[in-house]
Amino acid sequence: GETTLPKLPASARTSTTHRLAPRRVLFVWCCLLLACLHIGMAHAAVDAAPRGIEQLLDQADRIKTSDHSRFVSILAQIGADKDKLSKEQRLYLDYLQAWQLAFAGDDANAITRMDAIIASTNDPNFRFRANANVINILGFSARYKEAFERLASLVDELPQATQPMARATGLITIVQTYIQAGQYSLAVKYANQLLLADTSDDGSCKGSFFLAYAMDADGHAHKPDPRIQQGLDACQRIGDRIYATGIQALLARSLLAE
């Protein structure tokens, strides 16, 4: 059955922007970090064979922000022969092109393209990622009510999202959207799921940031949680300065709040 979500609080419907103003910088930071989400890097050279196309698409997906010029170049290279792609490869390319529209600030067309993917595919992972991205765009545009209204379907689809990057993207979006809606305890709940979903250094680094972010929104930033420091250590081990800086900023807020 469908997941029953709590109603959007009246305060969130009428004065969300004012209520969240003290955390506006953290929200923008969080959205930027979601855009930077990637799990590992593809380093191997690939050819133009069908398997090579899949590897190119996967590589582009993983370097979207870490090497954006290369990402754009790969999309152009593959898009030039779009008619030769398999159905699955075209779907992947369509998703990455829609992501690029959002990255470039073309929110309306990005949402249209993402919604077309949701409507046209039975692939649960791409449906989930596209839905998460639309919700993220709406939240980044301060369209919090619309973002929250779409959250039910994302939560419903979570069990079917088996691909690690898809689950991570969705869980981060769920955490953000619950924070925007004032549902802080639920944000903490799903941040814990994110942290448990991947125990690698990469997962610990990213998961601990979003746990710290949710705890800060919930007013529990002053309560020490060793997993957050462990996540910071993991970020430093893998050289992820973006997430490390985010955790350090939240820890600094915690110290100032004491």
Side-chain angles (χ1 to χ4, degrees), residues 38 201 205 232-244:
H38 64 281
D201 276 353
C205 170
L232 176 58
D233 294 342
C235 291
Q236 293 170 339
R237 281 195 296 273
I238 64 176
D240 195 321
R241 292 178 291 178
I242 295 175
Y243 276 86

Side-chain angles (χ1 to χ4, degrees), residues 105-119:
D106 191 352
D107 293 347
N109 282 323
I111 290 173
T112 297
R113 293 282 296 274
M114 290 290 183
D115 277 340
I117 290 171
I118 294 169

Side-chain angles (χ1 to χ4, degrees), residues 194-195 197-209 234 238:
L194 175 64
L195 196 57
D198 185 354
T199 58
S200 69
D201 276 353
D202 186 76
S204 176
C205 170
K206 294 175 173 64
S208 63
F209 167 79
I238 64 176

Side-chain angles (χ1 to χ4, degrees), residues 88-217:
E88 292 76 15
Q89 291 167 348
R90 285 197 301 272
L91 172 63
Y92 205 164
L93 179 62
D94 286 344
Y95 171 79
L96 294 176
Q97 289 174 333
W99 185 96
Q100 170 59 19
L101 288 171
F103 186 84
D106 191 352
D107 293 347
N109 282 323
I111 290 173
T112 297
R113 293 282 296 274
M114 290 290 183
D115 277 340
I117 290 171
I118 294 169
S120 64
T121 183
N122 292 321
D123 185 304
N125 290 301
F126 276 110
R127 284 177 57 86
F128 190 73
R129 293 185 73 183
N131 197 15
N133 274 278
V134 171
I135 294 170
N136 188 54
I137 294 167
L138 293 171
F140 190 70
S141 304
R143 294 161 63 180
Y144 303 122
K145 185 174 184 293
E146 294 173 75
F148 190 81
E149 287 172 346
R150 294 184 68 134
L151 187 62
S153 61
L154 193 67
V155 174
D156 279 345
E157 293 165 2
L158 183 58
Q160 284 74 51
T162 57
Q163 200 264 348
M165 188 180 290
R167 285 187 65 82
T169 300
L171 283 167
I172 289 169
T173 299
I174 290 168
V175 171
Q176 290 181 167
T177 309
Y178 274 133
I179 289 173
Q180 294 157 17
Q183 303 290 336
Y184 303 130
S185 61
L186 285 171
V188 172
K189 171 187 172 181
Y190 284 99
N192 275 298
Q193 286 192 29
L194 175 64
L195 196 57
L196 291 171
D198 185 354
T199 58
S200 69
D201 276 353
D202 186 76
S204 176
C205 170
K206 294 175 173 64
S208 63
F209 167 79
F210 286 99
L211 177 62
Y213 178 45
M215 290 177 66
D216 177 81

